[in-house]
Amino acid sequence: MNAGSPDDRALLERTVGEIMADHCPPEIVAAAEGSWDEPLWAALAEAGMSTVGVPEHLGGSGGEPADAAAVLRVVAAHAGPVPLAEALFPVAAGCAVSGLAFPEGPSTVAVGPGLTIRRTAAGVVLDGTAPRVPYARFASRILVAGDGGGDHPELVALLDPAHLTLAIGDNLAGEPRDDLVAAGSEISTSDVAEVPAGTAAQLHRLGALARAVQIAAALGMVLELTVRYAGQREQFGRPIGRFQAVAHQVAVLAGLAAAAGAAADAAVASLSRSSDPAGHRLAVAAAKARTSAAAGPAARIAHQVHGAIGFTQEHRLHHLTRRLWSWREEFGSDEHWAAELGRAVLTAGPDELWPTITRI
């Protein structure tokens, strides 16, 4: 795959858009609640879209992070019930740094301070809990990342969920979110690789980046639906969008969507600048904080404009807004990432305030 230019990326988006139009109407999204849509995943995989941005030597389609983000934006705007965000960002990065082969089929990531992977005299042991792992029970493999415990090296493992203990659950949008529970579970050494210190934190950061891209895409579609409805729905002989109060709210929604999109795009662009890891960390923190903070107000405005119709099962709006309410908390809330930004600014000191801000 030789994507990378704006024209190539536009072609990529059109291709994914056609797949989503054919395979992901609102009734499919509704039917997939509590599960996932295997035919949609198969269609994306057949077109090579489930491995965009994954290096070819790992079994991927190649391309850049911006290409993966372009695919993810289209899928998220259609509320696609597949674990694409997890595969294209944290799983791909974890495989790249560890040398583990990128999984065939859907994959996801389990990462958090409650997990440890450590070598013992008998082998490798997984311990702790990872809450609300996306699509865990439907994944072919779960990339598990945790600290080594004490002075041990940091390890990652690519595991079959059939051999793990999962507590089944869903988020508000009906997307599978399962707790992974391990109590000294022995895992095969062939599934484990040593990685540089800080890898688990970076995979969590990439999960946050993926959610920021998804939220920004969903906000864009929510804005599109709201503008369209406000132009079609009439009261007192004219479209409601012509009333000043409604027009003002739609303008606020447009501002939220624009700011979220800009922040997410900047964070994706920072991923390609390997010479500035600190700038990448700041950009991701800013993107997740900005998009998560926008999710609630944007959903509220959209439902106010749509009225009761936006909550009906047949309407697309609630499929997006329920994801906004869910995604804003996953891989760190806006408060979590705002605190990260605050710590970075305080650590840099007063003389570095402006350079730190302008690096984002």
Side-chain angles (χ1 to χ4, degrees):
M1 176 179 179
N2 295 316
S5 72
D7 288 343
D8 290 337
R9 209 156 286 138
L11 176 60
L12 194 64
E13 291 176 346
R14 286 197 300 273
T15 302
V16 181
E18 292 171 359
I19 294 172
M20 299 305 292
D22 290 341
H23 295 273
C24 194
E27 57 268 24
I28 291 294
V29 179
E33 291 196 13
S35 184
W36 71 305
D37 191 68
E38 191 170 357
L40 173 59
W41 179 269
L44 291 167
E46 184 178 3
M49 299 303 159
S50 63
T51 57
V52 169
V54 180
E56 292 181 6
H57 72 272
L58 293 176
S61 302
E64 302 175 1
D67 302 319
V71 173
L72 183 57
R73 276 195 297 269
V74 179
V75 174
H78 287 77
V82 288
L84 192 69
E86 295 75 23
L88 294 186
F89 282 89
V91 174
C95 289
V97 75
S98 67
L100 296 170
F102 188 74
E104 294 184 10
S107 57
T108 190
V109 64
V111 60
L115 281 178
T116 60
I117 307 174
R118 65 186 187 279
R119 297 188 188 276
T120 67
V124 181
V125 173
L126 172 65
D127 211 352
T129 301
R132 304 182 68 76
V133 178
Y135 293 94
R137 62 188 183 269
F138 298 108
S140 64
R141 290 292 184 273
I142 301 176
L143 182 74
V144 181
D147 64 48
D151 298 327
H152 298 283
E154 195 165 318
L155 304 172
V156 297
L158 200 57
L159 304 177
D160 185 341
H163 301 152
L164 300 171
T165 300
L166 301 175
I168 305 304
D170 300 322
N171 66 12
L172 183 63
E175 296 177 306
R177 298 293 186 265
D178 308 324
D179 294 345
L180 187 159
V181 182
S185 305
E186 293 187 9
I187 55 180
S188 171
T189 56
S190 63
D191 298 326
V192 177
E194 186 172 331
V195 291
T199 294
Q202 173 63 359
L203 297 186
H204 181 263
R205 193 175 297 115
L206 289 173
L209 173 58
R211 286 293 182 269
V213 171
Q214 290 177 291
I215 292 171
L219 287 171
M221 182 56 73
V222 165
L223 174 62
E224 182 179 323
L225 293 173
T226 304
V227 169
R228 184 186 308 156
Y229 183 78
Q232 295 172 343
R233 180 73 168 91
E234 292 190 359
Q235 284 286 351
F236 306 107
R238 57 176 173 166
I240 61 173
R242 294 185 183 178
F243 291 95
Q244 186 175 10
V246 176
H248 173 72
Q249 289 299 302
V250 173
V252 172
L253 174 56
L256 291 169
D265 288 346
V268 171
S270 75
L271 190 56
S272 300
R273 297 193 295 269
S274 58
S275 60
D276 186 19
H280 167 65
R281 290 193 291 270
L282 289 172
V284 172
K288 189 57 166 68
R290 178 64 268 166
T291 55
S292 289
R300 182 179 66 248
I301 292 170
H303 279 293
Q304 285 175 336
V305 173
H306 278 82
I309 194 173
F311 291 100
T312 59
Q313 186 65 20
E314 296 78 10
H315 204 279
R316 295 181 65 190
L317 181 63
H318 71 94
H319 293 306
L320 294 164
T321 53
R322 287 189 292 132
R323 280 168 170 77
L324 289 175
W325 290 320
S326 299
W327 291 343
R328 65 181 175 178
E329 302 296 329
E330 295 177 356
F331 291 101
S333 64
D334 55 319
E335 292 91 349
H336 171 87
W337 291 106
E340 286 284 310
L341 286 171
R343 281 191 289 270
V345 170
L346 291 174
T347 300
D351 293 339
E352 290 297 315
L353 176 59
W354 181 250
T356 299
I357 292 173
T358 54
R359 291 171 70 185
I360 299 175

